[in-house]
Amino acid sequence: MFTLALRSIRQRPGRFLATLLSAFLGAAIIMTFNSMHDTAAGSGVDSVSSNTLTTAASVVGGYGSLLVFFAVASTLTVNVRQRAAELELLRCSGATPAQLKRMVVGEALAVALVGAALAIGPAMLGGRALLDLFQDSGQVAESVDYSFGPIALLTGVDITLVAAVGAAFLAVRRATRGQRRRARARTFLAYATLATGTLAVCSTFLMKATDEALMAPPAYGAILLSVGFALLAPRLLKGLLDRLALSGASGWLAVRNLRERAGELAGILMSLILFTAVATTTLTVQAVESDEVAASGLVKSVDAKNLETLNFTVVGIIVVFVCVMLVNSLYAATTYRSREFGQQRLAGATPGQVLGMVGAEGLVLTVAGVFFGTVAALAGIVPFTVVRSDAVLPGQAVGIWLAVVSVAAAVTVGTGLATARKVLRTPATEAVTLAA
Amino acid sequence: MFRTGSRRRHDTGPAAEALRLVKVTKTYGSDDSAVTALDGVTLGLARGTFTAVMGPSGSGKSTLLQCAAGLDRPDHGIVVVDGTELTGGTEAELTKFRRGRVGFVFQQYNLLDTLTVAQNTVLPLRLAGRRVDRGRAREILTQVGLGDRLGHRPDQLSGGQRQRVAIARALVCEPRVIFADEPTGALDTRSARTVLRLLQEAVRVHGRTVVMVTHDPVAASYADSVLFLADGRLAGRLHAPTADAVAERLAHLGDDVTAGV
Ligand SMILES: Nc1ncnc2c1ncn2[C@@H]1O[C@H](COP(=O)(O)OP(=O)(O)OP(=O)(O)O)[C@@H](O)[C@H]1O
Ligand SMILES: [Mg+2]
């Protein structure tokens, strides 16, 4: 079955591109930050430098890894769920559930390994650049040498593999077995994640305003809450869609599609919610932090400016990563609908109507994703601001939120439309006969 | 671009000739793997006729129907449907033209899995922005024996039931020309008879034009005439066909490939 897995990858490499990209980017991010641990452990590193490096690696590398875990897992889930029909066909041709599981998990393993291996080079360059940034801002001594060691390598490979293989395993189990029993497990998982996330954001209150790791609990909490909401979102979305009536044939189709595909949308919603929550939380928290540092008048030198730039760079990398994941999973999901679009066109839909439908779906998704993402972000921001400053909701939050939402809407609707346009170039009669 | 025979922009009732193909050629693939599915087909069908198209598997029947219906574009040649030439034009223009005039029953049904039987049936009306007559849809679905399956999804139906939904969908728009690709391929004798009677009724009572691909001589005998196709070329025509005559002709189809009709 592993040979079958390899053969299926070799025959249709395109459909694994999305998974490969997420594994590659994810592993690169984890390795980049965790190589700071390796660098800090080098000989002759003074304690201040070591401290800075370890904090950066633990805080940002920590929640970055959590984020990567869920991003890779959600891309893989989208991939496997789309292939339900193909798996069903294999099952009917005599493949046992165990064989299917080995095939899908084998594919995930191979793709994740390749992705992680490809990530090593870029991660070394990235880590070196990050260390340069630290040294330029004076937080790390110039004498410290960059080192890419076992911690970076092991965490990068392990987290990517566990996320990919775990998600593939769960998704294929769902695809080859009834869904009934899983619904309860999913609800339980959702509430457990929400509870953990709530604990994480509340733990902010236990920390002091000057703690270096004060930024960590809000970020962790926002990520966990996002995942919890993403697990619950399909059901809530279904409830909303039952009441939603969009006008026109395109709107009508969009509502019906979203309702039918609610289960599959969890993966895309996860990326969207994560993007809104993580971007809003980390950028706002960083803005508050910078303001507080400036207000305290402790360091008002060039260094403070450097530090701010550095932190925004780090947060920016994470935000861009989630944004790429969002584009990635949307692209994969839309490409896959070529046959469906073809059938609609043959039934009398103009390409414009198909695009209208995709656009309407994107808008509804954006509203749902932004709503849950905002709730998760607020849960992270408010405790931080209360502890760090005297305000409850910082003034910068609104501007950042608006920017994040604009990007989320543009990316979601834009990717959907651009991909659909490309898909529509195939003649309808051909699109419906292509193997799905 | 679109051209009506008399250069009139407005639709002024059905044209006398429902369908005309002139030297239509269609090739799939390129270079060494190229397959000529249609090789210079020329034919004309009068309004209000019921024509069956027969020929061996792979002879180009589905391709012929799709080119004639404006679903696929021929490489060369002219297609005129209901007095309007389909050459050129954007996909949107072709789609809008088809909506009012052409109904199509696909060999692979092409129903949408996310919609129920009733929703699938009225989808063309909805897309065309026309009034959705649910009563009429139910009536047609009942005629094809699916009156109790309105709320089911295609994946909950048997192959034959899906085929009947596809037929109901093609009929509900009341098109002038109906193309049906093996509409009885997955049906038992009785359901097949019902469907063939419906198609006959569309011709006799409503004056529509039906072109139907079939492998079954009995189904072909419901038509006014049969066109035979072999290797992408017309290989004869039979008027007022009986099942026996059709079977006889099919058996010798390979012997005398004659071009044109
Ligand atoms: N999309 C395609 N790409 C390449 N070749 C095609 C395509 N569609 C049809 N062909 C080829 O064109 C020829 C005619 O196909 P067509 O589907 O029209 O046959 P048919 O007469 O409808 O056969 P059947 O009775 O089996 O449905 C065949 O040789 C087929 O292999
Ligand atoms: Mg065919």
Side-chain angles (χ1 to χ4, degrees), chain A residues 280-301:
Chain A
T280 314
T281 311
T282 49
L283 291 176
T284 310
V285 160
Q286 187 52 55
V288 172
E289 177 70 23
S290 304
D291 280 4
E292 285 304 312
V293 170
S296 68
L298 279 180
V299 251
K300 268 202 163 181
S301 57

Side-chain angles (χ1 to χ4, degrees), chain B residues 7-256:
Chain B
R7 307 238 169 231
R8 271 174 311 209
R9 288 245 159 230
H10 293 291
D11 187 13
T12 51
E17 197 172 45
L19 181 70
R20 167 149 292 272
L21 269 64
V22 182
K23 289 188 185 151
V24 170
T25 304
K26 174 85 186 173
T27 307
Y28 288 110
S30 53
D31 301 338
D32 39 335
S33 67
V35 178
T36 305
L38 289 181
D39 192 0
V41 174
T42 299
L43 61 83
L45 300 178
R47 176 164 66 91
T49 54
F50 187 173
T51 309
V53 178
M54 301 191 81
S57 179
S59 56
K61 303 181 297 294
S62 297
T63 310
L64 176 76
L65 243 60
Q66 288 177 357
C67 285
L71 292 169
D72 213 341
R73 290 161 197 264
D75 299 332
H76 304 286
I78 297 168
V79 177
V80 182
V81 178
D82 195 30
T84 304
E85 190 182 324
L86 297 189
T87 324
T90 63
E91 183 182 336
E93 283 171 332
L94 272 174
T95 304
K96 284 177 187 155
F97 169 78
R98 283 205 325 266
R99 279 174 179 168
R101 322 248 190 125
V102 178
F104 206 104
V105 183
F106 295 92
Q107 194 171 1
Q108 313 294 342
Y109 323 139
N110 283 327
L111 302 173
L112 280 151
D113 285 332
T114 48
L115 304 181
T116 64
V117 166
Q119 287 168 343
N120 259 299
T121 309
V122 297
L123 182 64
L125 290 176
R126 208 180 270 280
L127 287 167
R130 283 161 64 181
R131 199 173 63 85
V132 175
D133 187 346
R134 291 212 175 72
R136 175 85 187 115
R138 186 175 306 126
E139 193 183 315
I140 295 182
L141 282 166
T142 309
Q143 278 179 329
V144 297
L146 291 174
D148 54 344
R149 299 290 164 108
L150 300 179
H152 285 59
R153 283 176 205 291
D155 55 8
Q156 297 169 318
L157 300 179
S158 74
Q161 288 168 335
R162 279 181 227 187
Q163 188 152 46
R164 283 180 273 161
V165 179
I167 291 160
R169 181 173 69 174
L171 290 175
V172 81
C173 289
E174 314 194 322
R176 299 216 182 121
V177 189
I178 299 170
F179 295 96
D181 200 346
E182 299 191 30
T184 56
L187 300 184
D188 61 282
T189 330
R190 252 187 64 188
S191 325
R193 209 171 339 152
T194 316
V195 164
L196 290 165
R197 292 245 165 83
L198 269 174
L199 292 176
Q200 241 177 5
E201 188 186 295
V203 175
R204 304 274 143 78
V205 180
H206 303 289
R208 305 188 205 293
T209 309
V210 173
V211 187
M212 169 184 76
V213 167
T214 181
H215 284 293
D216 176 12
V218 177
S221 69
Y222 280 76
D224 306 324
S225 66
V226 181
L227 287 175
F228 293 94
L229 206 63
D231 292 328
R233 295 191 192 148
L234 282 182
R237 190 168 197 165
L238 195 65
H239 289 283
T242 62
D244 287 340
V246 171
E248 170 72 19
R249 233 357 220 282
L250 275 179
H252 299 292
L253 199 56
D255 305 350
D256 53 318

Side-chain angles (χ1 to χ4, degrees), chain A residues 10-22:
Chain A
R10 217 173 314 138
Q11 273 184 0
R12 265 174 289 182
R15 68 166 40 164
F16 293 97
L17 222 57
T19 325
L20 183 67
L21 181 66
S22 69

Side-chain angles (χ1 to χ4, degrees), chain A residues 347-367:
Chain A
T350 59
Q353 281 178 316
V354 175
L355 288 177
M357 177 192 79
V358 173
E361 286 178 24
L363 275 181
V364 175
L365 269 184
T366 309
V367 171

Side-chain angles (χ1 to χ4, degrees), chain A residues 15-42:
Chain A
R15 68 166 40 164
F16 293 97
L17 222 57
T19 325
L20 183 67
L21 181 66
S22 69
F24 165 74
L25 281 178
I29 294 233
I30 297 176
M31 288 175 182
T32 301
F33 283 107
N34 281 343
S35 69
M36 295 301 113
H37 276 303
D38 291 313
T39 307

Side-chain angles (χ1 to χ4, degrees), chain A residues 234-248:
Chain A
R235 212 172 333 142
L236 298 174
L237 190 63
K238 227 171 171 160
L240 170 79
L241 289 168
D242 284 338
R243 271 171 280 279
L244 187 68
L246 295 181
S247 62

